[in-house]
Amino acid sequence: MSNKKFEIISLTMRYWFIGLIVFISLRIFMEAFKTKQEQSYNEEGPFGHIIFFLAVFLSSAYMLLAYNNPIGFEKYTAILGLIISLGFVVQYNLFRLIFPRIDRLLLIIVDTLTIFGFIMLYRFNADLAISQIKYFLLGNAGFLFFIIFTHRIRIGEKLSYILMALACILLLLPILFGKETYGAKNWISIKGHSLQPSEFTKIILVFVFACWFRKDRKLLEHLPALVFAGIAVLLVVLQKDLGAALLYFYIFIFVYYVATSDWIITLLAGSAASLGGIISYHIFSHIRVRIEAWKNPWRDIENKGYQIAHSLIAISSGGLIGIGLGLGSPQVVPAFKTDFIFATICEEFGIITGFCIIGLYAMIVIRGVSIALKNADPYKSLLAFGATVALTLQAFTIIGGVIKMIPLTGVTMPFVSYGGSSMVASLALIGVLEGVAISAEDYEDVDNDVHEKGDQAFLEGEYE
Amino acid sequence: MKGIEQNIKKALIVLLVAFGFLAAYYCYILFFYSDRWFANSYNPRVRMDAWDPKTVPGDIKDRNGRLLASTIKERRQNPDTKQEQTYYYRSYLGGGQQAESISHVVGYNNAKYGRSGVEALQVRYLMGHNNPFFEKIYQKIFLDKEIGNTIHLTIDIDLQQYIHELLGKYKGSVVAMDGQTGEILAMVSHPSFNPNNLVEDLTGDVLVSRATEGLYIPGSIFKILVSASALENMEDVVSSNFDCQGTYRIGSQDISCYGGEAHGHVDLTKAMVVSCNGSFADIGTKLGNEKLLKTAVAFGFNQEFIFPDLKLAASRLPLKTNTSEEKLALTSIGQGDVQVTPLHIAMIASAIANDGVMMEPKLVYKVIGRTGQSQKSVKPKVYRRPMNQENAETMRTMMEDVVSQGTGKAAAIKGKQVAGKTGTAEVKTKDSEIRNNAWFIGFVPGSKSNIAVAVVIEDLPSGQTGGKVAAPLAGKILKKALDLGY
């Protein structure tokens, strides 16, 4: 009968969760539009730090999940929840203290999304959550590294050639050594650990584009970067990783247009991509299947439409405030811990929560773009913008696919989906954003600061 | 640098619009479709397990409280565990052959074959998913098994069974509805199946609910829409005349009247009464594609019907601004590519009966919770207002003449004024043989509920017209409905 007890508690706690989620989201939405100066004064708000509410959210969810087993209350889960919550508070404050000029709200949004992931993954399977926590810790190391890297080091053209070569090698690995999963060949396995190189290549793309397009040049002088963009997209197409191809294309076209205002190449690339899409629709059967499933998933619900249909059924089963954590049937939805995690969150936490999550990604857009705008250095500005596009359009692509707005392409939901590569790469991109954020006012000093200039000259191999 | 800043601002707008669109689409699609998706037969969350179900589905009753479907408990040996256990299954209308009359409406809920009909679409109520929070908690604490809620349908089982027996061996469908409220009193599809005994019956098209999913060529029934459009758009149409010579030629298309009969000089009422094809082909081509299409859309053609109580296939009128006159003429007499469902035609009939107001069709009368409290009751809702009151009245008089002196005489009821329209649609079978679909739609003006009925009998040999086959059936059905007090 402990099962019934859990059901009753979970049903009751729905109201607590939805209240917390809406409150946290509203706080974030309100803060997102404030300028940095206002933020540093008001950030604590009338009810204290947002991070505190996040900690409460996570620990109460884990407290509830502690009841979700036949033996009754499991202390281990509850304590784990408290430790993780504490971890988040420490992580947030640590970064805040080390980098006083960091965009704190961005960090809060990332933590919120990660916490959704931790709760759902623990609810599926405790081991998944434990690995995800490890990935998050690893990701934080990457986060720290990229803040400093972005702040301190400028990538020059020469260094960028090395990065391009590295990216190509990374993308070739799965084609040569990978195994096919879900129709795509985008994984390699090293000593039992699976890696998805296309996730990491995203970061290189952002750096390379920022480096090449920061200056007004003639078209031909951009050529190495343009060729590199083409090769990168081609390689992920060869991996049959449609989602990554689309994302690389987005990053390229946004950063390129923003930097150069060059309609001709933008339109050319756009039409080349559409042409490529149409051709691949006719060549590859798996793309046709995707499109058919998108148009009408209900026609062939047992095969082609299975994923999307079950995702939609799951989303609609939740109602406004959800079935209750632990009471849904996520296992019915395919890839419920990675690509379709949004559907399972909607089922157990409700439609309102889904809406809040879409809003949180939109707030990353706002914060990311404002960081890009605040930095007068075109290189840093483009870096921040590229990272924002990479993160948010990935979220847009997968959520749009899961709710049948656009055809489904398998990309992960940044910070929420299970997976080490995705978590580390997404945190690295946030690291890039924060790195730009903390160096907002440095640019004017560059010319006067001999030491820093020497640094750059060494790394860039040329003087600006 | 200035350029970059401005471009980033432009890109910000693009990104925010994308996310705004995502959020809007998310809300829109869940608002309109989430009930249907939830009710999908493949949703395992609301599956009724035969052995040890968590929730026992509630009963389905008719509007007068007669039991249509219920859950039966029985001790049986479980083939998996080899033990005596309680076995749960759904029983319809007492478990016998009689259940055939309501099978397409009520549907089935079967461990093996999934769900359909009301059993599928209203599963939210039947499985108690709509229960308020405290009710859910109460059931979890105090009840051994949670129980669902009882649904009362708007169907009157007496009328439903009467129609079912009346149709006999015919293939086809009948819908009878309350024109004022949109409540469906009877909805019959033939051939039918016995939901108590699904195994043997799962062949052919018996599972198709013809009333809501069957797309039929309307034939002369469509002239009602042409008239409605003409009344709306052509000022002198009531007084203008047409000279019918038996055949009307437009372009390369010959349109002849039934039996090649020449009707001579006819006005709109006369054309309707004798169902003169030439006149309506002429009116239709004069109206033009756009105006006819506009009226049809106002009546619900080419629209996705999203009703909370039932699924209804979209009726099709594939007219475009550049559709040829030949095709338009054919369409105007209801041939060509026009397709309608019987329920939609019944809605059109009841809109005319109801002064031009089309009501949303209703199938759920009320939902009763565990303790007897009403959780939901039918609230009439206007779906569309396709025509004004004056034109509806003109249409009504014309349709009364059809029954009193024209092709629909067989539908007349002694002492009552009946309005109606016959139709005979020609359908080519696979062996390019021509078969008839016989139509009659009608209503009793001034009856208590403005009862409207649509009858279609399909696959008849030539010579069996709407006036000969469908009209007498409709007359009997209307009479029965009046006797029952509607």
Side-chain angles (χ1 to χ4, degrees), chain A residues 3 6-7 10-11 14 64-65 68 120 123-124 310 313-319 321-333 336 343-350, chain B residues 38 43-46 54 129 140:
Chain A
N3 203 10
F6 169 71
E7 282 175 22
S10 176
L11 273 179
R14 290 183 305 168
L64 170 63
L65 289 175
N68 190 13
M120 289 317 286
R123 174 251 177 281
F124 301 146
H310 275 284
I313 292 174
I315 294 174
S316 59
S317 294
I321 63 166
I323 280 183
L325 181 60
L327 302 184
S329 316
Q331 290 81 356
V332 183
V333 186
F336 59 91
T344 57
I345 292 177
C346 287
E347 182 189 352
E348 300 205 335
F349 283 109
Chain B
F38 180 77
N43 187 354
R45 293 162 190 84
V46 277
K54 229 178 101 183
H129 264 253
K140 280 194 199 299

Side-chain angles (χ1 to χ4, degrees), chain A residues 133-373:
Chain A
I133 290 165
K134 285 181 195 155
Y135 299 144
F136 182 67
L137 287 176
L138 191 65
N140 268 293
F143 178 59
L144 183 65
F145 171 77
F146 272 95
I147 295 177
I148 298 168
F149 183 84
T150 314
H151 180 49
R152 285 275 154 211
I153 295 169
R154 294 170 70 83
I155 305 269
E157 277 83 351
K158 283 192 181 151
L159 194 55
S160 82
Y161 282 118
I162 302 174
L163 287 181
M164 289 184 198
L166 180 66
C168 293
I169 294 168
L170 274 175
L171 289 179
L172 271 172
L173 286 176
I175 300 176
L176 299 175
F177 308 111
K179 268 179 273 170
E180 202 164 302
T181 44
Y182 293 116
K185 208 172 172 184
N186 53 358
W187 290 91
I188 48 168
S189 139
I190 301 167
K191 289 184 184 166
H193 295 284
S194 297
L195 278 178
Q196 196 179 352
S198 57
E199 287 280 351
F200 300 106
T201 319
K202 244 178 355 199
I203 310 165
I204 298 182
L205 246 66
V206 170
F207 274 102
V208 168
F209 292 157
C211 158
W212 279 88
F213 302 142
R214 74 178 192 276
K215 276 192 274 185
D216 271 335
R217 293 182 227 236
K218 288 194 190 110
L219 182 61
L220 272 183
E221 288 170 317
H222 282 316
L223 205 61
L226 296 180
V227 170
F228 170 66
I231 291 175
V233 171
L234 201 68
L235 284 175
V236 277
V237 168
L238 283 180
Q239 294 180 6
K240 292 192 188 166
D241 188 345
L242 218 65
L246 201 64
L247 206 58
Y248 287 8
F249 172 73
Y250 286 150
I251 299 172
F252 167 72
I253 209 136
F254 270 88
V255 175
Y256 183 78
Y257 175 75
V258 159
T260 61
S261 313
D262 182 355
W263 273 115
I264 301 168
I265 292 287
T266 311
L267 285 179
L268 269 178
S271 37
S274 334
L275 197 71
I278 294 167
I279 291 172
S280 50
Y281 176 82
H282 289 286
I283 295 178
F284 300 119
S285 62
H286 68 280
I287 294 178
R288 273 198 301 279
V289 169
R290 288 270 170 89
I291 301 280
E292 271 172 47
W294 167 63
K295 275 181 167 156
N296 190 354
W298 312 104
R299 191 181 298 149
D300 188 6
I301 191 167
E302 281 177 71
N303 300 302
K304 290 176 193 164
Y306 188 85
Q307 287 189 318
I308 298 180
H310 275 284
S311 157
L312 296 177
I313 292 174
I315 294 174
S316 59
S317 294
L320 277 181
I321 63 166
I323 280 183
L325 181 60
L327 302 184
S329 316
Q331 290 81 356
V332 183
V333 186
F336 59 91
K337 38 187 194 217
T338 53
D339 297 5
F340 282 92
I341 198 163
F342 182 74
T344 57
I345 292 177
C346 287
E347 182 189 352
E348 300 205 335
F349 283 109
I351 292 170
I352 297 174
T353 306
F355 188 83
C356 288
I357 286 178
I358 295 174
L360 288 177
Y361 284 112
M363 293 309 119
I364 296 185
V365 173
I366 296 204
R367 294 316 296 175
V369 166
S370 76
I371 289 172
L373 285 176

Side-chain angles (χ1 to χ4, degrees), chain B residues 407-427:
Chain B
T407 51
K409 271 180 194 151
I413 303 172
K414 237 184 210 159
K416 284 275 176 197
Q417 184 77 272
V418 177
K421 178 77 192 85
T422 58
T424 310
E426 291 182 343
V427 185

Side-chain angles (χ1 to χ4, degrees), chain B residues 344-389:
Chain B
H344 184 207
I345 281 290
M347 283 159 65
I348 293 173
S350 46
I352 297 166
N354 199 29
D355 291 334
V357 182
M358 188 183 270
M359 304 301 290
E360 187 180 279
K362 292 287 183 191
L363 197 55
V364 177
Y365 194 54
K366 56 186 174 184
V367 178
I368 304 292
R370 177 181 57 86
T371 54
Q373 83 281 18
S374 170
Q375 291 182 326
K376 181 192 166 170
S377 57
V378 65
K379 283 189 197 75
K381 193 177 155 203
V382 173
Y383 174 57
R384 269 154 199 270
R385 295 176 194 276
M387 63 199 307
N388 61 33
Q389 194 178 348

Side-chain angles (χ1 to χ4, degrees), chain B residues 287-300:
Chain B
L287 274 169
N289 289 309
E290 274 168 58
K291 282 178 181 154
L292 187 55
L293 190 62
K294 202 176 154 228
T295 307
V297 167
F299 273 94

